[in-house]
Structures are given as structure tokens and as C-alpha cells.
Amino acid sequence: MWFLTVSCWMSFGLCLSMFAVRSAVCTMSGAALGIEIVVVFFLALFLLHRYGDFKKQQRMVLFGTLLAWYLCFLIVFILPLDVSTTIYKQCLIDHEAHAQTPSVSPVLSNQTTPNTSISASKNTQHVCYKPWSYIPDGIMPVFWRVVYWTSQCLTWLLLPFMQSYARSGGFSITGKIKTALIENAIYYGTYLFIFGSLLIYVAVHPQWRLSWYELQTIGITAANTWGLFLLVLLLGYGLVEIPRSYWEASRQGHLLIKTYFKVAKLMTEKADSEENLEDVMEEVRKINESIKYNHPLRKNVDTILRKCPVEYQEKMGRNMDDYEDFDDKHNTYPTERSLSKLHKQVIYAVQRHNRTRVQWQILLEQAFHLEDVAKNETSTSRQFIHSFAPPEPVGWFRRYIYTPTVEWYWECLLKQWFYRILSVVLALFSVAVVWSECTFFSTRPVLSLFAVFIQLAERDYNYLYIEMACFITIFFLCTCVYSTVFRIRVFNYYYLASHHQTDAYSLQFSGMLFCRLTPPLCLNFLGLIHMDSAISHQEKEQTAYTSIMGSMRVLSFIANGFYIYYPMLIVILCIATYFSLGTRCLNLLGFQQFMGDEMTSDLIDEGRELLRRERRKRQRIEDGESRRREWRERYAQRDEIAARNRTSMSEMKETNYGETLNSNTNRQAKYTRGSSQTGRDSIELLQDAETLDFNAKTLTDDPLQSEPGRHAGGRYLSMSSSRSRIFDDV
């Protein structure tokens, strides 16, 4: 599996290097392709870092998800370049058609340049400007073929297998591979059965003589049909929910009430995850006590223990003292299969507990911030005041640019209007998409708004406008679809949580969805701008992406029926989303959803009370920290003053004692007879005497010269260490 994945990636990188070299040789405009390839890679890497965990999750999971996201984003970003290049090629075809007429203006033909093609027919003038991002012939077909088939191999073969492998509770690579193959046997068997049945039907039926290209087109059409079915459902939800979410974000009161509801709901989930973790840890504790260190399955138990939280590992410390021969007793021990099942439960319970704990802290920060905004709205000082100090030190951005005054104007005044304007703009985009989805099959007259915009720019060959219009349109469609993928939650099996809290199963499932949704999304976009001849029925130059998809005329009932009329279902889905029919149905089934009425008032009150409790708890913690900080600073100053006083007193005593010795010496020398040898020796001894340190334990540095249990000479009892240390801490 690793070999196949790495091989696909190496082939993809080889093709990309070929594209870069060929672009550099042919034209400098090929740099746009290379720049977008690099930018898209870092975009996918950033999203994976936000949702995944590079330190804890397996490299295989991260690599498969990154490759799937990268290929899908790459299709979205490169498709506008394909559209502009196709329009230029269509212009050249029209130029050749006009050039076949006998009346060609020689003046115009002499004004041609390498980047323009000019022709005239009687009273018409035709100018073709090469786009700045023109991609030479032969590059885009190979590029789309590598990207498309790699993504399809990921979504239908590798990612399902990697999903089961990452979720398996096996203790070895072989055991995990075996479990993954067993779980995917039905999955792969269904595909083989359908494919084999089609081959037998085609081989037996006398009227069907399908070539390999037509079989390939049927397979692509089947995959795109499945993707389009799911695409319309997700798009119908996102077209309404995204503008409405920004409009609701501009209403601070409504947003705060909704946050109270989330707090109460998340608290229930947090308590459930903690209870589930306790139950699983109890099972682990029992198995840890029953299986001793000399049991053959002990290494599997140690593997399970390493997946447990640290506090539980300390409680369930392995007992190495009691040696028991398990073969001599008829005790019932768990099997390796039951340990694998327990291992899987431990991984799931720990990951869920960590996720709810992190989400709880993030939601509390959001709720506290919204309450601070509500309090600061009535502030006359126009300075934004936070209830709690930020955990991190204030950086230069908040110190010089995003000051409390700027923060007040943004949070309390400008942010609401910005969200409202953005919501209106997104709502207009949604209306344009819904209208175009219902009318894109009409070519005369052209009713699709996006097709009208592209054709107006095509007349003047404004390639920059064409690429920007295509990019904004497809980016909005992808935002509506992908944001729905990131928002939906299938119980606790599929859930994309930010701040590195998404499990491996959800990451790979999102990669599968992206690879299945992106190709039909791009085909739908090309149909909206009338660049797909299978839908528009126009004899025009096809994009390189459409040529890879094959001709849909092989299955005419899909090209002329399903692809045209099924997107109209988006109107019904948008109406249902606007009136929150799905939310009401889930609420009736027992799944608590925010309704904003009496049905959720109890949870709102509960969330408000929980938030008050957490605020009081955090306030007590901060008050305790501030008191301890004040006491430390106060005692540090007192200790410093006391140390200075002790140092000055010792210096004064040493100085006074030295002066006393000098005065005694002078007095001794004055009244002593000069002829006395004993007097002279006494004077020399007194002059050479050094200052005594009465704070020292002994008069000598040699510990052998002092007897234990006796006070050393030259030391006052009041200056001894046993008495002076009593007041050192005061």
C-alpha cells in the first residue's frame, strides 16, 4: 500500500517537474502554473495542520489526507487557467476560419506580433491576444489525467483501506493489514461484482461493441453521477447556511444565546466522554491486574497502557513483584481479539475525551469574549476591557496596532456592519448560483448569469477578468460544498474538529469526500459557463479537463437527463434549509438542536448558569494567583532589606573592632619600654593580627582543629547561626 501511494506521488511529482521544464522552455507564462501548484500545497498543508496532529497521528494517515486535499484544491485553482487557454484556442480557430476568406487586409497582417493574431473579413476585424497565463499544448491533458486518476485511486481504493488500517486495534502491522482487508472485502467485492457484470453484459450483448475508451467513459460517468447526487445536497445547504451564519454573527445577542446553548450541549457531551473513559479504564485495570508480566499477551497490555492518559498509567502501575505461573492455574484470560477490541476502544475514548476537553476550553473563551463585547458596548471610554488577562504576553501587534481603542471600534461597531454587508453579498451570489443551476441548459437565449459574464469578457479577450470571474465563482461553490463537509457530523464517527482534534478516520473520510465531489463540481461549473458541449450542445473548443472526462454522449440519458434536471432540485433544498426543516426534524427525533424558541430555553438557561460557574472559578484562580504574586513581591523586598541590614551591621562591627585593635596597639606601644624584647614581640603580634569573623563557625578553616560539641572561640552566642536563622524568613 505504501508502495502504491508513494509511486502515485512520485509519478505526480515527475509530471509536475516535466510541466515546469516544458513551461520554462516554451513560454514564461507557465510560471503561473508552478506558482499555483506551490501555493495550493501550502494551503492544504495549513488546513491539515489545523485539523490534524502532526506529532501523534500516523504518517500514513497524514500523507494520504494531504495528498487527497492537495489534488482537489489543485483542480479548483488550475481550472480557470484551462478556461482562459481554451478561449484563446477558440479565438485561433475562429481566426483561421476568417483567414480562409479571400479579402484579408494587408495592413492588419503586417501589424501582427508573436502574441497576437489578427484577421479581417470585409468589415470585420478579429484580434487574438495570448493570455498571460497561457499553458502550452500537451501539458494540461497530461496534468489532468495524472491528477484525476490519482484522486480516484485514492478515494475508491487506498483511502478506504487506510481508514480501516488506522482504525484497527491490532498490535502489529500484519494484524492491522489483515483487519483492514477483512473489513473492506465487502466494499471491494461489490465493485468487482458490478464491474464483472458489466463486462459480461457487454461481451454477450451483440449490439454493444464498446471500446476501452467508452468503458472508461462509463466508469467516469458513474463516479461523477454519484458525486453529483451528493454535491447537490451539500450545495443546497451551503448556499443558504453560509450567508445566514454571517448574518447571525452580526447579531451579538443572538450569537451569545446560541453560545449558551452550545455550552450546555457540550457539557453533556464532555460528561459522557469522561464517563466512557472511566468505564474503559476500568476494563483496562482489570486486564492489567489479571495478566502478569510473564504472560505472552503482556506486551499487548503494555501497548494499551501506553495509549492511556498519564494519570491512569500512574494508577495502574505495573506490579513486577508478584511472580505467578499462569500455566498452573485455570484462570480465564482475555484473547488477543478481545485485547484488540479493547485497544480500539481505548484509542477512541482517549481521543474523544481530549477533543471534548479542548473544545470546552475554546468554547468558554468564545463565550467570555461575547459577554465582554456585550458589556463594552455601553462603555463611554471606548476602551475594550477584558474580564480576564490574556494567557500569553501582549505582542507588538496588540500593543501598537490593535490597541484597546481599535479593538472597541472593531468589536462593538464595525464588525457587525462588515458581517452584514458580507452576508448580503454572499446571499446575492447564492441567488445567482440557484438561478444559473436552473437555467444553464438554455443557450439561446443565454440565461445563466455566469455564462453571460464570461461571454462578455470573451468578446474583448480580457483574460484576467475571465480568470478572476472563474476563480471567484468556483471558489464560492467550493466554499459552500467544502464548508458543509467540515460542518456535518455523523454522531461521533465523522467529525472534523479544529485545533488538532480530528481523528484519523474523519480525516481520511473527508479526503474521500473531497475526491468524489471535486470532479462533478468542476463539470457543473463548466456547464454553468457553457464550456461543456455535452450539456450546452455547442460546437466549441473543449477544455482539457472536459476531454479527460470523455464524451457523455455514450450515456445520453445521463447527459441529457440527469445532469440537466437533477441540479434543479437545489431550489427545494435551499427552501428546506431556509426554514430549518432538517433541524426541526432532528429536534423531534431527540437530537438537541438550537431553535431559538421555548424548546431550547432550558438548555440556554443551563448554559448561562454553567458559564457563570466557570467565570467564578476562573476569577477565584486569578485572585489567588494575584495574591500569591503580591506576597512573593512583598516578601522579596523584605528579604532584600533584611539582607542589606545584616550586611551593613556586619561591616560596621568589623570596622569598629578593627579600630579598637588599632587603638590598643598604639596605646600599648606608647606606654611600653623600648628595651623590653617581650613588649616588642607583643606589639608585632598585635599589629599582624587579622580581623576576626564572629559570624564564622570556627576561627580556622581546618575542621579537625575544632572539637565537636564545643563552641568555637571568638564567636558570640548571640551571633550564632542557630539563633540568627530563626528570623531569616520574617
Side-chain angles (χ1 to χ4, degrees):
M1 180 187 58
W2 262 104
F3 176 76
L4 293 176
T5 307
V6 174
S7 299
C8 294
W9 178 251
M10 292 178 61
S11 62
F12 179 68
L14 183 62
C15 292
L16 291 184
S17 62
M18 180 189 66
F19 298 153
V21 172
R22 193 167 180 178
S23 298
V25 173
C26 298
T27 177
M28 293 299 294
S29 62
L33 179 62
I35 292 174
E36 290 197 1
I37 288 174
V38 176
V39 171
V40 170
F41 174 78
F42 284 104
L43 175 61
L45 188 64
F46 169 75
L47 288 177
L48 183 60
H49 176 264
R50 178 176 175 80
Y51 288 91
D53 192 348
F54 289 170
K55 296 180 180 180
K56 297 181 180 180
Q57 289 177 339
Q58 300 177 2
R59 299 293 180 266
M60 180 185 63
V61 174
L62 298 174
F63 180 78
T65 307
L66 177 62
L67 183 58
W69 289 6
Y70 175 56
L71 294 178
C72 295
F73 294 159
L74 200 62
I75 295 175
V76 173
F77 278 79
I78 303 299
L79 191 60
L81 304 182
D82 192 6
V83 172
S84 61
T85 302
T86 304
I87 292 176
Y88 174 71
K89 292 179 180 179
Q90 182 64 37
C91 178
L92 293 179
I93 294 174
D94 296 339
H95 165 67
E96 294 178 357
H98 286 289
Q100 293 178 359
T101 57
S103 58
V104 178
S105 175
V107 177
L108 294 176
S109 61
N110 292 331
Q111 296 177 353
T112 58
T113 62
N115 291 330
T116 59
S117 298
I118 304 176
S119 63
S121 175
K122 294 183 180 180
N123 296 326
T124 63
Q125 182 178 1
H126 192 73
V127 182
C128 296
Y129 296 98
K130 182 180 291 187
W132 68 278
S133 59
Y134 174 75
I135 301 175
D137 295 338
I139 293 181
M140 290 307 298
V142 179
F143 177 83
W144 289 130
R145 189 173 290 109
V146 172
V147 171
Y148 177 78
W149 287 112
T150 303
S151 63
Q152 294 304 303
C153 289
L154 282 173
T155 186
W156 297 106
L157 297 176
L158 295 180
L159 284 180
F161 180 82
M162 294 164 62
Q163 241 183 342
S164 302
Y165 180 88
R167 199 178 180 184
S168 173
F171 299 98
S172 62
I173 298 178
T174 305
K176 291 183 177 181
I177 293 177
K178 181 180 179 181
T179 304
L181 290 176
I182 293 175
E183 290 183 358
N184 288 272
I186 301 176
Y187 189 78
Y188 294 123
T190 304
Y191 291 154
L192 292 176
F193 176 76
I194 295 175
F195 183 72
S197 301
L198 290 176
L199 287 180
I200 295 174
Y201 179 77
V202 171
V204 174
H205 204 280
Q207 298 178 356
W208 288 69
R209 292 293 183 269
L210 297 179
S211 61
W212 170 251
Y213 175 77
E214 293 175 341
L215 288 176
Q216 177 181 338
T217 303
I218 291 175
I220 295 174
T221 304
N224 291 336
T225 302
W226 188 95
L228 183 63
F229 177 80
L230 185 60
L231 173 68
V232 173
L233 298 178
L234 300 178
L235 186 61
Y237 176 82
L239 289 174
V240 176
E241 191 61 29
I242 290 180
R244 183 164 60 185
S245 63
Y246 281 102
W247 182 265
E248 292 178 351
S250 64
R251 302 163 55 193
Q252 296 291 340
H254 175 81
L255 190 60
L256 183 58
I257 292 175
K258 189 174 182 179
T259 305
Y260 289 150
F261 174 82
K262 291 181 179 180
V263 167
K265 190 174 180 180
L266 185 58
M267 185 61 184
T268 304
E269 183 180 353
K270 182 172 175 289
D272 188 19
S273 64
E274 292 176 353
E275 183 179 355
N276 184 28
L277 182 63
E278 290 287 344
D279 295 339
V280 175
M281 291 298 106
E282 181 65 22
E283 294 293 331
V284 175
R285 185 190 63 81
K286 293 179 181 179
I287 292 180
N288 182 48
E289 293 178 355
S290 63
I291 297 181
K292 303 302 178 181
Y293 73 97
N294 58 339
H295 196 280
L297 297 178
R298 182 64 207 186
K299 59 180 181 179
N300 298 339
V301 177
D302 293 338
T303 303
I304 296 175
L305 288 176
R306 285 192 293 268
K307 301 295 178 62
C308 299
V310 179
E311 56 271 16
Y312 289 99
Q313 292 183 20
E314 295 175 353
K315 293 179 182 179
M316 296 182 294
R318 183 173 158 185
N319 188 6
M320 298 293 295
D321 297 332
D322 52 343
Y323 182 87
E324 296 183 6
D325 192 358
F326 61 90
D327 291 332
D328 295 337
K329 296 185 178 181
H330 299 283
N331 296 332
T332 57
Y333 295 100
T335 61
E336 186 174 359
R337 177 176 296 182
S338 61
L339 288 179
S340 300
K341 184 178 179 181
L342 181 62
H343 186 203
K344 185 176 180 180
Q345 293 176 356
V346 168
I347 295 174
Y348 171 74
V350 172
Q351 202 280 332
R352 183 188 175 192
H353 177 261
N354 295 333
R355 184 186 66 204
T356 53
R357 181 172 50 84
V358 173
Q359 288 180 336
W360 175 254
Q361 297 298 328
I362 296 172
L363 188 59
L364 287 181
E365 294 294 336
Q366 295 176 358
F368 291 151
H369 179 72
L370 290 176
E371 289 185 345
D372 292 341
V373 172
K375 293 178 181 178
N376 284 274
E377 284 180 348
T378 58
S379 176
T380 57
S381 62
R382 298 182 184 275
Q383 297 280 334
F384 196 89
I385 301 174
H386 294 272
S387 300
F388 304 103
E392 299 179 356
V394 179
W396 65 270
F397 179 77
R398 297 185 65 89
R399 186 180 296 111
Y400 300 106
I401 299 177
Y402 196 64
T403 60
T405 303
V406 176
E407 186 177 4
W408 186 90
Y409 276 100
W410 169 250
E411 293 290 345
C412 302
L413 188 63
L414 299 178
K415 186 178 180 179
Q416 302 176 8
W417 289 102
F418 174 76
Y419 279 171
R420 290 173 184 174
I421 295 173
L422 182 61
S423 176
V424 172
V425 173
L426 294 176
L428 294 177
F429 262 99
S430 299
V431 172
V433 170
V434 173
W435 171 262
S436 300
E437 290 286 354
C438 297
T439 59
F440 71 93
F441 58 88
S442 177
T443 57
R444 293 183 182 180
V446 179
L447 299 179
S448 176
L449 297 179
F450 300 105
V452 172
F453 297 152
I454 298 299
Q455 290 179 6
L456 289 176
E458 186 179 354
R459 294 176 183 177
D460 299 330
Y461 297 100
N462 190 348
Y463 296 107
L464 182 61
Y465 174 81
I466 292 173
E467 293 175 1
M468 291 301 298
C470 291
F471 176 75
I472 292 174
T473 304
I474 195 171
F475 182 77
F476 179 72
L477 294 175
C478 291
T479 302
C480 295
V481 175
Y482 293 163
S483 64
T484 308
V485 173
F486 280 93
R487 287 186 181 189
I488 60 177
R489 178 177 180 179
V490 183
F491 300 104
N492 289 316
Y493 295 99
Y494 173 74
Y495 183 35
L496 290 175
S498 58
H499 297 83
H500 322 292
Q501 299 303 315
T502 306
D503 58 349
Y505 183 86
S506 300
L507 283 176
Q508 293 176 336
F509 189 75
S510 66
M512 292 170 55
L513 287 179
F514 280 12
C515 292
R516 297 180 187 182
L517 291 173
T518 303
L521 175 64
C522 294
L523 284 178
N524 182 257
F525 164 73
L526 294 175
L528 293 179
I529 62 176
H530 291 178
M531 295 291 290
D532 188 359
S533 61
I535 297 176
S536 62
H537 301 286
Q538 294 179 347
E539 296 297 332
K540 296 176 62 176
E541 180 70 15
Q542 294 295 303
T543 61
Y545 184 81
T546 310
S547 63
I548 297 302
M549 295 294 104
S551 177
M552 297 299 173
R553 295 173 183 175
V554 177
L555 300 175
S556 58
F557 67 93
I558 294 180
N560 299 328
F562 184 79
Y563 277 14
I564 292 177
Y565 297 105
Y566 179 72
M568 296 182 184
L569 186 64
I570 199 172
V571 178
I572 301 176
L573 295 173
C574 288
I575 294 174
T577 306
Y578 179 79
F579 290 103
S580 303
L581 296 182
T583 303
R584 298 180 186 275
C585 292
L586 289 175
N587 202 5
L588 292 176
L589 293 175
F591 300 98
Q592 297 293 340
Q593 302 293 322
F594 179 74
M595 301 295 297
D597 51 11
E598 294 79 5
M599 298 178 64
T600 57
S601 60
D602 295 338
L603 288 176
I604 293 173
D605 295 337
E606 181 182 352
R608 186 183 290 108
E609 184 61 32
L610 288 172
L611 199 61
R612 289 176 183 173
R613 188 185 307 168
E614 292 293 332
R615 180 181 287 274
R616 289 194 298 267
K617 184 188 300 184
R618 184 169 296 188
Q619 190 66 44
R620 287 195 300 269
I621 294 174
E622 287 201 353
D623 292 343
E625 290 292 337
S626 62
R627 284 195 298 269
R628 282 191 291 270
R629 194 181 306 111
E630 291 177 359
W631 281 104
R632 283 196 298 267
E633 293 176 357
R634 184 181 302 175
Y635 283 124
Q637 294 177 358
R638 291 185 178 182
D639 292 341
E640 185 178 357
I641 294 173
R644 290 178 182 176
N645 293 334
R646 286 194 298 270
T647 304
S648 60
M649 289 176 63
S650 62
E651 291 177 355
M652 290 174 61
K653 291 178 180 179
E654 292 174 0
T655 304
N656 294 333
Y657 187 71
E659 292 177 355
T660 304
L661 290 177
N662 292 331
S663 62
N664 292 334
T665 303
N666 296 331
R667 191 179 300 110
Q668 185 81 13
K670 184 176 180 180
Y671 295 102
T672 305
R673 292 189 304 271
S675 61
S676 177
Q677 184 66 29
T678 306
R680 286 196 297 268
D681 295 339
S682 300
I683 293 172
E684 292 177 0
L685 289 172
L686 290 174
Q687 287 178 350
D688 295 336
E690 295 181 356
T691 305
L692 298 178
D693 186 5
F694 291 96
N695 292 327
K697 294 182 179 179
T698 61
L699 288 175
T700 178
D701 294 335
D702 191 0
L704 297 176
Q705 296 180 5
S706 61
E707 297 179 5
R710 296 178 59 185
H711 292 286
R715 178 176 179 179
Y716 297 111
L717 293 176
S718 61
M719 300 292 292
S720 62
S721 61
S722 62
R723 297 191 180 185
S724 62
R725 290 179 182 175
I726 296 176
F727 303 95
D728 285 346
D729 296 334
V730 180

